[in-house]
Amino acid sequence: MNRHFEASNDNANDNKSSNGMTWVTCYVGLGSNLENELGSPVEHLQQAVVAMQENKQIRAVRVSSFYASAPMGPQDQPDFVNAVVGFETTLTAFELLAFCQLLEQQAKRARLRRWGERSLDVDILLYGDIEISEPQLTIPHAGLHERNFVLLPLRELAPELIILNKPITDYPPSDDWTGLKLLKLN
């Protein structure tokens, strides 16, 4: 079940924003497995989506279904809730990175250990067709092609998507349900 959130924007059919910037299609992965005083893992993801909807430099927000997945790293932590959000933005890739990090901070994310538990993880998966390889940002996301908890919801949103000159359907994890469960939300 897709959750489509349409951000209101008077220029929804224009390719340029009011400041002359071009709208770029992006996909961002969301993950959470820790509850805190700000909410449950599902609520952390929902709050991130609302913040994206409210950002004037983001429009046409679409959200995949939510999926439960086993942790990728240490197994002594709760399962994750994952989703993918697709949208158009006039933010640069590095401005989008700063926005994603701000969302994590607002959810009171603490980085305790590599691949460890977190209240919110927001990763840029794709930013148009651009490839970036910098210490602070890699696009497409480094593990994108091997993670079913990212590829399955991404394929749900964009079944015709091309990643690094390959259709998303050519990546086996995009159709691999191992360790995943579709969540039914109220």
Side-chain angles (χ1 to χ4, degrees), residues 142-164:
L144 172 66
H145 65 284
E146 58 195 25
R147 297 178 180 168
N148 67 342
F149 61 86
V150 173
L151 284 171
L152 240 155
L154 182 57
R155 182 175 174 179
E156 175 188 329
L157 284 184
E160 306 297 321
L161 187 65
I162 304 295
I163 304 169
L164 298 174

Side-chain angles (χ1 to χ4, degrees), residues 119-173:
S119 55
L120 183 62
D121 188 32
V122 186
D123 291 328
I124 302 171
L125 304 174
L126 298 166
Y127 182 89
D129 293 330
I130 292 175
E131 294 181 39
I132 298 175
S133 184
E134 296 288 335
Q136 67 272 34
L137 181 60
T138 301
I139 298 175
H141 189 278
L144 172 66
H145 65 284
E146 58 195 25
R147 297 178 180 168
N148 67 342
F149 61 86
V150 173
L151 284 171
L152 240 155
L154 182 57
R155 182 175 174 179
E156 175 188 329
L157 284 184
E160 306 297 321
L161 187 65
I162 304 295
I163 304 169
L164 298 174
N165 299 315
K166 261 173 78 171
I168 191 169
T169 54
D170 284 0
Y171 293 91

Side-chain angles (χ1 to χ4, degrees), residues 7-15 23 59-60 88:
S8 64
N9 186 310
D10 294 335
N11 301 324
N13 294 320
D14 296 343
N15 212 16
W23 291 96
R59 71 177 186 189
E88 295 177 349

Side-chain angles (χ1 to χ4, degrees), residues 26-30 49 52 61-64 83-87 125 157:
C26 298
Y27 294 93
V28 172
L30 302 178
V49 169
M52 290 176 197
V61 177
R62 297 177 304 127
V63 183
S64 73
V84 168
V85 183
F87 53 84
L125 304 174
L157 284 184

Side-chain angles (χ1 to χ4, degrees), residues 67-70 82 148-150 152-153 176-182:
Y67 297 80
S69 66
N82 296 102
N148 67 342
F149 61 86
V150 173
L152 240 155
D176 178 6
W177 281 84
T178 305
L180 294 181
K181 185 174 93 176
L182 186 64

Side-chain angles (χ1 to χ4, degrees), residues 77-139:
Q77 60 181 316
D79 284 353
F80 276 82
V81 175
N82 296 102
V84 168
V85 183
F87 53 84
E88 295 177 349
T89 187
T90 57
L91 296 169
T92 67
F94 287 93
E95 289 170 340
L96 181 58
L97 174 63
F99 178 67
C100 292
Q101 291 170 337
L102 175 65
L103 295 178
E104 292 175 346
Q105 291 167 7
Q106 289 173 340
K108 295 192 175 181
R109 175 174 175 175
R111 296 176 190 268
L112 305 175
R113 58 183 172 162
R114 181 173 169 83
W115 291 332
E117 48 279 299
R118 60 204 66 176
S119 55
L120 183 62
D121 188 32
V122 186
D123 291 328
I124 302 171
L125 304 174
L126 298 166
Y127 182 89
D129 293 330
I130 292 175
E131 294 181 39
I132 298 175
S133 184
E134 296 288 335
Q136 67 272 34
L137 181 60
T138 301
I139 298 175

